[in-house]
CSV table of all heavy atoms in Angstrom, one decimal:
chain,number,residue,atom,x,y,z
A,10,TRP,N,169.4,80.8,132.6
A,10,TRP,CA,169.7,81.7,131.4
A,10,TRP,C,170.1,80.9,130.2
A,10,TRP,O,170.2,81.5,129.1
A,10,TRP,CB,170.9,82.6,131.8
A,10,TRP,CG,170.7,83.4,133.1
A,10,TRP,CD1,171.4,83.3,134.2
A,10,TRP,CD2,169.6,84.2,133.4
A,10,TRP,NE1,170.9,84.1,135.2
A,10,TRP,CE2,169.8,84.7,134.8
A,10,TRP,CE3,168.5,84.7,132.7
A,10,TRP,CZ2,168.9,85.6,135.4
A,10,TRP,CZ3,167.6,85.5,133.4
A,10,TRP,CH2,167.8,86.0,134.7
A,11,PHE,N,170.2,79.6,130.3
A,11,PHE,CA,170.6,78.8,129.2
A,11,PHE,C,169.3,78.1,128.6
A,11,PHE,O,168.3,77.9,129.2
A,11,PHE,CB,171.6,77.7,129.6
A,11,PHE,CG,172.9,78.2,130.2
A,11,PHE,CD1,173.1,78.3,131.5
A,11,PHE,CD2,173.8,78.8,129.3
A,11,PHE,CE1,174.2,78.8,132.1
A,11,PHE,CE2,175.0,79.3,129.9
A,11,PHE,CZ,175.2,79.3,131.2
A,12,GLY,N,169.4,77.8,127.3
A,12,GLY,CA,168.3,77.2,126.6
A,12,GLY,C,167.6,78.2,125.7
A,12,GLY,O,168.0,79.3,125.4
A,13,ASN,N,166.4,77.8,125.2
A,13,ASN,CA,165.6,78.6,124.3
A,13,ASN,C,165.2,79.9,125.0
A,13,ASN,O,164.6,80.0,126.0
A,13,ASN,CB,164.3,77.8,124.0
A,13,ASN,CG,163.5,78.5,122.9
A,13,ASN,OD1,163.6,79.7,122.7
A,13,ASN,ND2,162.6,77.8,122.3
A,14,PRO,N,165.7,81.1,124.4
A,14,PRO,CA,165.4,82.4,125.0
A,14,PRO,C,163.9,82.7,125.1
A,14,PRO,O,163.4,83.4,126.0
A,14,PRO,CB,166.1,83.4,124.1
A,14,PRO,CG,166.3,82.6,122.8
A,14,PRO,CD,166.5,81.2,123.2
A,15,PHE,N,163.1,82.1,124.2
A,15,PHE,CA,161.7,82.4,124.2
A,15,PHE,C,161.0,81.6,125.4
A,15,PHE,O,159.9,82.0,125.7
A,15,PHE,CB,161.0,81.9,122.9
A,15,PHE,CG,161.5,82.7,121.7
A,15,PHE,CD1,162.4,82.2,120.8
A,15,PHE,CD2,161.1,84.0,121.5
A,15,PHE,CE1,162.9,82.9,119.7
A,15,PHE,CE2,161.5,84.8,120.4
A,15,PHE,CZ,162.5,84.2,119.5
A,16,ALA,N,161.7,80.7,125.9
A,16,ALA,CA,161.1,79.9,127.0
A,16,ALA,C,161.6,80.5,128.4
A,16,ALA,O,161.2,80.0,129.4
A,16,ALA,CB,161.5,78.4,127.0
A,17,LEU,N,162.4,81.6,128.3
A,17,LEU,CA,162.9,82.1,129.6
A,17,LEU,C,161.8,82.6,130.5
A,17,LEU,O,161.9,82.3,131.7
A,17,LEU,CB,163.9,83.3,129.2
A,17,LEU,CG,164.5,84.0,130.5
A,17,LEU,CD1,165.3,83.1,131.3
A,17,LEU,CD2,165.3,85.2,130.0
A,18,PRO,N,160.8,83.3,130.1
A,18,PRO,CA,159.7,83.7,131.0
A,18,PRO,C,159.1,82.5,131.7
A,18,PRO,O,158.8,82.6,133.0
A,18,PRO,CB,158.7,84.4,130.1
A,18,PRO,CG,159.5,84.9,129.0
A,18,PRO,CD,160.5,83.9,128.7
A,19,ALA,N,158.9,81.4,131.1
A,19,ALA,CA,158.4,80.2,131.7
A,19,ALA,C,159.4,79.7,132.7
A,19,ALA,O,158.9,79.2,133.8
A,19,ALA,CB,158.1,79.1,130.7
A,20,ARG,N,160.7,79.7,132.4
A,20,ARG,CA,161.7,79.2,133.4
A,20,ARG,C,161.7,80.0,134.6
A,20,ARG,O,161.8,79.5,135.7
A,20,ARG,CB,163.0,79.1,132.7
A,20,ARG,CG,163.1,78.0,131.6
A,20,ARG,CD,164.6,77.7,131.3
A,20,ARG,NE,165.3,78.8,130.7
A,20,ARG,CZ,165.4,79.1,129.4
A,20,ARG,NH1,164.7,78.4,128.5
A,20,ARG,NH2,166.1,80.1,129.0
A,21,LEU,N,161.6,81.3,134.4
A,21,LEU,CA,161.6,82.3,135.5
A,21,LEU,C,160.4,82.1,136.4
A,21,LEU,O,160.5,82.1,137.6
A,21,LEU,CB,161.7,83.7,135.0
A,21,LEU,CG,163.0,84.1,134.4
A,21,LEU,CD1,162.9,85.5,133.8
A,21,LEU,CD2,164.2,84.1,135.4
A,22,SER,N,159.3,81.9,135.7
A,22,SER,CA,158.0,81.6,136.5
A,22,SER,C,158.1,80.4,137.3
A,22,SER,O,157.7,80.3,138.5
A,22,SER,CB,156.8,81.6,135.5
A,22,SER,OG,155.6,81.3,136.2
A,23,ASP,N,158.7,79.3,136.7
A,23,ASP,CA,158.8,78.0,137.5
A,23,ASP,C,159.7,78.2,138.7
A,23,ASP,O,159.5,77.7,139.8
A,23,ASP,CB,159.4,77.0,136.6
A,23,ASP,CG,158.4,76.5,135.5
A,23,ASP,OD1,157.2,76.7,135.7
A,23,ASP,OD2,158.8,75.9,134.5
A,24,ALA,N,160.8,79.0,138.5
A,24,ALA,CA,161.7,79.3,139.6
A,24,ALA,C,161.1,80.0,140.8
A,24,ALA,O,161.7,80.0,141.9
A,24,ALA,CB,163.0,80.0,139.1
A,25,ALA,N,160.0,80.7,140.5
A,25,ALA,CA,159.4,81.6,141.5
A,25,ALA,C,158.2,80.9,142.2
A,25,ALA,O,157.5,81.5,143.0
A,25,ALA,CB,159.0,82.9,140.9
A,26,GLN,N,158.0,79.6,141.9
A,26,GLN,CA,156.9,78.9,142.5
A,26,GLN,C,157.2,78.6,144.0
A,26,GLN,O,158.3,78.6,144.5
A,26,GLN,CB,156.7,77.5,141.8
A,26,GLN,CG,156.3,77.7,140.4
A,26,GLN,CD,155.0,78.5,140.2
A,26,GLN,OE1,154.0,78.2,140.8
A,26,GLN,NE2,155.0,79.5,139.3
A,27,ASP,N,156.1,78.4,144.7
A,27,ASP,CA,156.2,78.1,146.2
A,27,ASP,C,157.1,76.9,146.5
A,27,ASP,O,157.8,76.9,147.5
A,27,ASP,CB,154.8,77.8,146.8
A,27,ASP,CG,153.9,79.0,146.8
A,27,ASP,OD1,154.4,80.1,146.6
A,27,ASP,OD2,152.7,78.9,147.1
A,28,SER,N,157.1,75.9,145.6
A,28,SER,CA,157.9,74.7,145.8
A,28,SER,C,159.4,75.0,145.8
A,28,SER,O,160.1,74.5,146.6
A,28,SER,CB,157.6,73.6,144.8
A,28,SER,OG,157.8,74.1,143.5
A,29,GLU,N,159.8,75.9,144.9
A,29,GLU,CA,161.2,76.3,144.8
A,29,GLU,C,161.5,77.2,146.0
A,29,GLU,O,162.6,77.1,146.6
A,29,GLU,CB,161.5,77.0,143.5
A,29,GLU,CG,162.9,77.6,143.4
A,29,GLU,CD,164.0,76.5,143.5
A,29,GLU,OE1,163.7,75.3,143.4
A,29,GLU,OE2,165.2,76.9,143.8
A,30,ALA,N,160.6,78.0,146.4
A,30,ALA,CA,160.9,78.9,147.6
A,30,ALA,C,161.2,78.0,148.8
A,30,ALA,O,162.1,78.3,149.6
A,30,ALA,CB,159.7,79.8,147.9
A,31,LEU,N,160.4,76.9,149.0
A,31,LEU,CA,160.6,76.0,150.1
A,31,LEU,C,161.9,75.2,149.9
A,31,LEU,O,162.7,75.1,150.9
A,31,LEU,CB,159.4,75.0,150.1
A,31,LEU,CG,159.5,73.8,151.1
A,31,LEU,CD1,159.6,74.4,152.5
A,31,LEU,CD2,158.3,72.9,150.9
A,32,HIS,N,162.2,74.8,148.7
A,32,HIS,CA,163.5,74.1,148.5
A,32,HIS,C,164.7,75.0,148.8
A,32,HIS,O,165.7,74.5,149.4
A,32,HIS,CB,163.6,73.6,147.0
A,32,HIS,CG,162.9,72.3,146.8
A,32,HIS,ND1,163.3,71.2,147.4
A,32,HIS,CD2,162.0,72.0,145.9
A,32,HIS,CE1,162.5,70.2,147.0
A,32,HIS,NE2,161.7,70.6,146.0
A,33,ARG,N,164.6,76.2,148.5
A,33,ARG,CA,165.7,77.1,148.8
A,33,ARG,C,166.0,77.2,150.3
A,33,ARG,O,167.2,77.2,150.7
A,33,ARG,CB,165.4,78.5,148.2
A,33,ARG,CG,165.5,78.6,146.7
A,33,ARG,CD,165.0,80.0,146.2
A,33,ARG,NE,165.9,81.0,146.6
A,33,ARG,CZ,166.9,81.5,145.9
A,33,ARG,NH1,167.1,81.0,144.6
A,33,ARG,NH2,167.7,82.5,146.3
A,34,VAL,N,165.0,77.3,151.1
A,34,VAL,CA,165.2,77.3,152.6
A,34,VAL,C,165.8,76.0,153.0
A,34,VAL,O,166.7,75.9,153.8
A,34,VAL,CB,163.9,77.5,153.3
A,34,VAL,CG1,164.1,77.5,154.8
A,34,VAL,CG2,163.3,78.9,152.9
């Protein structure tokens, strides 16, 4: 939620990648 608000969609997209899903487990 921090940083450039216009870049928020990109940050959310990165957070939903397969690599992050694996890291969370």
Side-chain angles (χ1 to χ4, degrees):
W10 310 121
F11 301 101
N13 186 340
F15 295 104
L17 177 60
R20 293 197 295 272
L21 291 172
S22 178
D23 289 344
Q26 296 300 310
D27 289 351
S28 58
E29 174 59 17
L31 175 61
H32 275 303
R33 288 173 66 96
V34 178

